[in-house]
């Protein structure tokens, strides 16, 4: 069976889990560790930055855990130019008062000595929101899809982020994408950007022009740092809305997803095909994967693996 069919079969199972390493996360060492850990813990689907370095790191992670096979899937994230998933932040040192609040609020631990490590920054914006001096700026890092042509031939899925209201740009990029990639496309859509009518019109247009899609309903992008119902509620509500429109493709939810997401889906009887989890999944193992002895000290790796396994089980168990 081809790998594409394996992926479609996996999505048919429901209770799927996609671990998000971060669309704009260029910390390749972290990507390798996250993929190694969560594939060993039972996750089969990973979402990574669209770069050869991130792709190779993900393969190394799968290889480490003996999961480099036709049943583990890699998705790369691409998007339109003003999408928040493709921004990074920097500190204006002339304005910074060196209070340190930004570093305290950075889940990626990308800030030290009042500087942001560009590779680690995922553009979540938490530092900007917490800076009392307005010293943090953001910039976009979008790339031309032509840069990924060879990568499109290797990956199992491409995630197309459309948290932008520029429909013409979305359609132009989409046409560019589907002329270069003929596999499964995950459409990651931000509910806050569109009216229900314009969102559904857009989804129908995308499905009509490329039927092999899944949709990732993005509640509050990159906000999964808290483990409570409130953080995950928006994603659950959005997934419910899409399910009720009976769009005929797998529906995942993301954005604020955490260990309460599955529980909330069950309480509210929302029938979803899969949950994509990024910030929270990385946060719970962060202290371990940051250690230099992660690969060599079995106690460290297995302590992180226990956490990952419990989490994967909680998200993927049957109701
Ligand atoms: S929160 Fe703002 S003012 Fe404080 S250290 Fe960070 S950039 Fe500087
Ligand atoms: S808080 Fe978010 S946006 Fe700010 S440096 Fe950290 S990862 Fe980047």
């Amino acid at each position: 069976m081809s790998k594409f069919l394996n992926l479609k079969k996996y999505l048919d199972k429901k209770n799927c889990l996609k671990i998000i390493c971060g669309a704009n996360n260029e910390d390749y060492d972290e990507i390798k560790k996250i993929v190694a850990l969560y594939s060993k813990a039972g996750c089969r689907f990973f979402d990574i930055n669209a770069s050869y370095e991130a792709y190779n790191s993900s393969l190394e992670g799968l290889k480490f855990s003996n999961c480099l096979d036709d049943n583990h899937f890699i998705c790369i994230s691409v998007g339109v130019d003003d999408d928040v998933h493709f921004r990074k932040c920097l500190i204006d040192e002339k304005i910074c008062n060196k209070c340190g609040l930004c570093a305290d609020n950075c889940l990626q631990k990308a800030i030290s000595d009042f500087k942001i490590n560009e590779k680690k920054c995922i553009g979540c914006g938490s530092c900007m929101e917490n800076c009392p001096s307005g010293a943090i700026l953001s910039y976009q890092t979008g790339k031309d899809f032509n840069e990924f042509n060879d990568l499109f031939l290797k990956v199992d899925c491409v995630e197309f982020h459309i948290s932008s209201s520029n429909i013409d740009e979305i359609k132009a990029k989409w046409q560019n994408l589907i002329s270069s990639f003929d596999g499964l496309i995950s459409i990651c859509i931000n509910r806050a950007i569109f009216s229900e009518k314009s969102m559904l019109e857009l989804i129908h247009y995308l499905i009509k022009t490329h039927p092999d899609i899944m949709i990732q309903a993005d509640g509050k992008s990159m906000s999964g740092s808290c483990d409570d119902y409130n953080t995950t509620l928006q994603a659950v509500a959005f997934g419910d809305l899409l399910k009720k429109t009976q769009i005929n493709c797998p529906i995942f939810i993301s954005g604020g997803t955490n260990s309460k997401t599955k529980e909330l889906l069950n309480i509210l009887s929302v029938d979803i095909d899969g949950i994509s989890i990024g910030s929270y999944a990385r946060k719970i193992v962060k202290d371990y994967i940051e250690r230099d002895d992660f690969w060599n000290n079995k106690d460290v790796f297995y302590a992180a693996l226990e956490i990952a396994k419990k989490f994967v089980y909680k998200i993927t168990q049957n109701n």
Side-chain angles (χ1 to χ4, degrees):
M1 190 183 283
S2 79
K3 205 173 177 196
F4 176 69
L5 291 179
N6 282 356
L7 175 55
K8 299 262 280 185
K9 206 170 154 198
Y10 172 64
L11 298 177
D12 282 344
K13 274 163 60 93
K14 294 182 162 282
N15 291 323
C16 298
L17 167 65
K18 177 149 72 76
I19 292 289
I20 303 170
C21 295
N24 218 2
N25 186 0
E26 298 167 296
D27 183 344
Y28 307 120
D29 187 46
E30 181 184 57
I31 292 168
K32 180 178 168 182
K33 288 172 175 170
I34 289 288
V35 173
L37 202 52
Y38 276 101
S39 58
K40 190 99 180 153
C43 178
R44 292 171 53 189
F45 199 6
F46 296 90
D47 188 337
I48 59 167
N49 169 254
S51 65
Y52 291 96
E53 293 92 335
Y55 178 70
N56 290 334
S57 299
S58 68
L59 295 193
E60 284 170 20
L62 289 176
K63 194 170 174 192
F64 178 86
S65 296
N66 292 322
C67 294
L68 188 54
D69 57 28
D70 284 351
N71 286 302
H72 289 82
F73 313 105
I74 300 295
C75 175
I76 55 168
S77 276
V78 299
V80 290
D81 292 344
D82 59 349
D83 191 306
V84 289
H85 292 91
F86 303 95
R87 74 175 175 184
K88 287 184 185 279
C89 285
L90 60 86
I91 295 174
D92 184 337
E93 56 186 42
K94 292 195 276 316
I95 303 176
C96 172
N97 68 17
K98 304 204 175 347
C99 68
L101 276 174
C102 52
D104 294 345
N105 285 288
C106 177
L107 267 190
Q108 280 299 105
K109 301 195 177 172
I111 307 176
S112 64
D113 297 329
F114 315 107
K115 287 194 172 56
I116 294 176
N117 181 327
E118 191 183 16
K119 295 276 179 204
K120 290 187 174 206
C121 176
I122 58 166
C124 69
S126 169
C127 54
M128 279 196 290
E129 285 159 24
N130 287 289
C131 175
S133 313
I136 303 183
L137 314 166
S138 68
Y139 59 98
Q140 293 300 124
T141 60
K143 293 177 192 158
D144 196 311
F145 287 2
N146 296 334
E147 289 181 43
F148 307 130
N149 277 346
D150 290 346
L151 206 48
F152 284 156
L153 298 173
K154 295 174 189 286
V155 296
D156 307 299
C157 173
V158 173
E159 184 153 290
F160 184 55
H161 288 258
I162 48 176
S163 58
S164 162
S165 56
N166 189 337
I167 300 284
D168 289 342
E169 192 199 352
I170 291 170
K171 288 187 175 176
K173 285 257 180 182
W174 174 256
Q175 287 299 335
N176 193 349
L177 175 59
I178 60 176
S179 65
S180 317
F181 181 73
D182 62 1
L184 182 84
I185 299 181
S186 166
I187 300 164
C188 182
I189 190 161
N190 185 331
R191 174 76 179 88
I193 304 286
F194 302 95
S195 69
E196 190 173 328
K197 184 170 175 285
S198 62
M199 178 186 71
L200 292 176
E201 276 173 9
L202 181 59
I203 289 173
H204 286 303
Y205 165 81
L206 300 176
I207 293 179
K208 202 170 140 201
T209 46
H210 184 89
D212 286 318
I213 68 161
M214 57 173 263
I215 296 178
Q216 187 166 287
D218 201 19
K220 281 175 81 180
S221 303
M222 298 178 282
S223 68
S225 57
C226 298
D227 198 27
D228 58 27
Y229 294 124
N230 192 39
T231 310
T232 203
L233 186 60
Q234 204 160 311
V236 171
F238 187 14
D240 188 40
L241 170 78
L242 288 175
K243 270 287 172 185
K244 284 178 177 153
T245 61
Q246 299 188 321
I247 291 167
N248 189 24
C249 72
I251 308 282
F252 278 49
I253 57 173
S254 65
T257 42
N258 55 36
S259 86
K260 303 285 187 199
T261 304
K262 180 68 180 225
E263 223 175 299
L264 192 60
L265 286 166
N266 291 343
I267 292 168
L268 300 175
S269 300
V270 177
D271 180 26
I272 284 293
D273 302 290
I275 304 174
S276 302
I277 306 188
S279 307
Y280 187 76
R282 298 196 299 274
K283 177 186 167 181
I284 56 176
V285 293
K286 191 83 177 165
D287 286 346
Y288 295 97
I289 63 173
E290 284 212 319
R291 288 179 58 137
D292 292 336
D293 59 353
F294 177 83
W295 297 113
N296 304 322
N297 184 337
K298 282 190 175 167
D299 290 344
V300 172
F301 184 84
Y302 282 100
L305 184 59
E306 269 313 296
I307 295 170
K309 270 185 178 173
K310 278 187 192 151
F311 185 57
V312 170
Y313 177 75
K314 196 165 182 185
I315 299 298
T316 58
Q317 65 184 312
N318 288 319
N319 301 343

